[in-house]
Amino acid sequence: MTTGSQAYGEAWYWDNRYSNEPSPFDWYQKYLTLAPIIQLYVPSNHPILVVGSGNSAFSENMVDDGGYTDVLNIDISSVVIEAMKRKYRDKPQLKYMEMDVRDMSGFQSESFGAVIDKGTLDSILCGNNSRQNATKMLGEIWRVLKDKGVYVLVTYGAPVHRLRLLRDSCSWTIKLHVIEKLASEENSDNPVWELTRPVPLNDDGSSVEEALGPNPDVHYIYICTKEISANSNINA
């Protein structure tokens, strides 16, 4: 049996985890710390897809604090989806579906104005057949996005590890933002880099180290805008 990080792409791993750890948990960042960047790029009246939603309160906070009206959440774990359906049965702005992000054939193409991913791509990249599965995931995200829709990827992966994957998979226009890993209301007065200000991003990502220094303790936020008019497989 697959164990450890290699199981991150397997439903049984997450079913077991959510059965044993039912308390809400937000990977990487909470909505409060990311709200300025979400509100900058994701219009509140667009249909939003949150992938690998787990039992995070992020989508609830998008609705309650951000005014978002149509947030659909998917996860590979039937255990967590059933739990979240029960929890939010009286909140029509939130919907939950069991679905594998690598195969979202249940959705028509160009269904969503934005896709939000906090840690799901990272999880897939920790598993077996990581490159193949990540490419499937990104292709499906690109497909279900509307033209000019945005894929908001929150990841620990620096540009040297993520840019080629993103650019090889689909035709995106990419902006990069960063946020401290331990960002909160209390320590947001002196950030390493202003959250809503894009970090200079050249072809190989070396400009990021020039701007932030080596090995900054940040999460990277890639704002990937779908360019439907471009070829679907390019090296930007």
Side-chain angles (χ1 to χ4, degrees):
M1 179 177 288
T2 306
T3 58
S5 64
Q6 292 182 340
Y8 281 175
E10 306 297 330
W12 64 261
Y13 171 87
W14 294 106
D15 284 345
N16 182 67
R17 180 161 180 160
Y18 288 121
S19 294
N20 290 294
E21 301 175 20
S23 299
F25 181 78
D26 266 297
W27 293 87
Y28 294 0
Q29 300 285 336
K30 296 182 178 181
Y31 175 73
L32 191 61
T33 58
L34 291 179
I37 205 77
I38 299 296
Q39 292 169 3
L40 180 62
Y41 290 106
V42 181
S44 61
N45 60 341
H46 284 198
I48 311 303
L49 176 64
V50 178
V51 297
S53 56
N55 57 13
S56 166
F58 192 89
S59 296
E60 176 189 3
N61 296 147
M62 285 185 69
V63 170
D64 291 345
D65 301 329
Y68 288 86
T69 59
D70 185 0
V71 184
L72 176 56
N73 303 268
I74 66 168
D75 199 282
I76 199 172
S77 169
S78 60
V79 170
V80 79
I81 288 298
E82 289 306 312
M84 297 303 271
K85 282 182 177 179
R86 291 192 299 270
K87 182 176 182 178
Y88 294 114
R89 60 183 177 272
D90 297 325
K91 194 176 286 286
Q93 305 95 321
L94 287 175
K95 303 177 184 68
Y96 286 85
M97 293 180 63
E98 178 187 349
M99 189 175 289
D100 188 331
V101 70
R102 295 165 292 190
D103 178 10
M104 297 190 288
S105 53
F107 298 143
Q108 294 184 351
S109 298
E110 301 185 46
S111 295
F112 299 98
V115 174
I116 298 174
D117 169 8
K118 290 197 302 134
T120 299
L121 181 64
D122 287 1
S123 292
I124 285 179
L125 288 170
C126 288
N128 291 321
N129 302 316
S130 59
R131 180 77 184 204
Q132 178 183 0
N133 285 322
T135 298
K136 286 181 180 178
M137 171 184 171
L138 292 169
E140 279 291 85
I141 288 173
W142 193 91
R143 181 184 66 79
V144 302
L145 275 173
K146 299 178 185 293
D147 186 24
K148 308 302 181 184
V150 295
Y151 170 40
V152 180
L153 169 62
V154 185
T155 170
Y156 64 73
V160 66
H161 301 299
R162 292 291 181 269
L163 276 181
R164 180 174 292 277
L165 175 62
L166 289 168
R167 287 172 169 162
D168 284 356
S169 64
C170 307
S171 49
W172 306 107
T173 296
I174 302 173
K175 292 182 180 179
L176 177 66
H177 297 257
V178 295
I179 187 170
E180 285 87 348
K181 287 182 179 177
L182 299 177
S184 69
E185 284 184 292
E186 290 76 18
N187 66 8
S188 61
D189 291 338
N190 297 295
V192 170
W193 189 270
E194 183 183 346
L195 175 59
T196 56
R197 178 186 170 200
V199 179
L201 188 62
N202 58 5
D203 286 345
D204 63 4
S206 60
S207 57
V208 176
E209 183 171 320
E210 294 172 7
L212 303 178
N215 302 313
D217 193 26
V218 299
H219 286 127
Y220 298 89
I221 307 167
Y222 296 85
I223 306 296
C224 307
T225 302
K226 178 177 178 177
E227 300 293 350
I228 204 170
S229 59
N231 294 329
S232 62
N233 188 13
I234 63 170
N235 291 307

